[in-house]
Amino acid sequence: MSRNTPKVALVPSAFFDPASAREALSRTVKLDKDDKVEYISLPEYSAELVYSLSSDLPELYYLLKKLPEIKEYNKIAASYGDGILSLAIAQGENLLLANTFQAADFTTAEYFLFMAVRKLQLNPEVSTIHFISPLSGEEEMSLYRYFKTVETV
């Protein structure tokens, strides 16, 4: 079980201190006083995923775990729900991006997705995008206009 949350940050293990996990997360997102902060190690990225949720792991965790399973060189994994786009992008074994974006609708989510792909200089026409959240037929067709393949897992 996972949840979409914008209250998440990926911190390099070399700079992470468990005692200051809340402080590390508060540098990137606005935390409420009663937010409970947790973290989980991602040794394959030499990083710690710091997040605030009442239960479950953030969607970004599952995207990061999905990347090594993708066989293509350009690895793009995404999820959209609850007004949050979670996005992880890698080339080969190099993680390029792991982030969340507040997006009121799927069109806005696509904007953030295309902005990230363009900034990272990836060619969507030769890339497959892997969504771990369900897509409507209209959403999938919209993505097919830009990406070689759209897969939902």
Side-chain angles (χ1 to χ4, degrees), residues 68-136:
E69 299 173 15
I70 298 173
K71 302 298 181 211
E72 294 93 359
Y73 181 69
N74 290 340
K75 301 168 189 278
I76 305 169
S79 174
Y80 178 71
D82 302 325
I84 307 280
L85 170 68
S86 297
L87 183 60
I89 301 175
Q91 279 190 319
E93 294 184 16
N94 296 321
L95 181 64
L96 302 177
L97 176 90
N99 207 348
T100 61
F101 304 89
Q102 296 215 6
D105 53 42
F106 192 76
T107 301
T108 305
E110 284 181 307
Y111 167 79
F112 287 117
L113 172 62
F114 297 134
M115 179 184 66
V117 167
R118 183 177 28 242
K119 283 285 190 188
L120 295 171
Q121 299 179 344
L122 301 179
N123 183 353
E125 294 175 356
V126 298
S127 301
T128 299
I129 185 162
H130 301 261
F131 260 82
I132 66 170
S133 60
L135 294 170
S136 71

Side-chain angles (χ1 to χ4, degrees), residues 20 22-29:
S20 61
R22 183 178 188 84
E23 180 185 340
L25 185 58
S26 70
R27 289 183 193 148
T28 59
V29 299

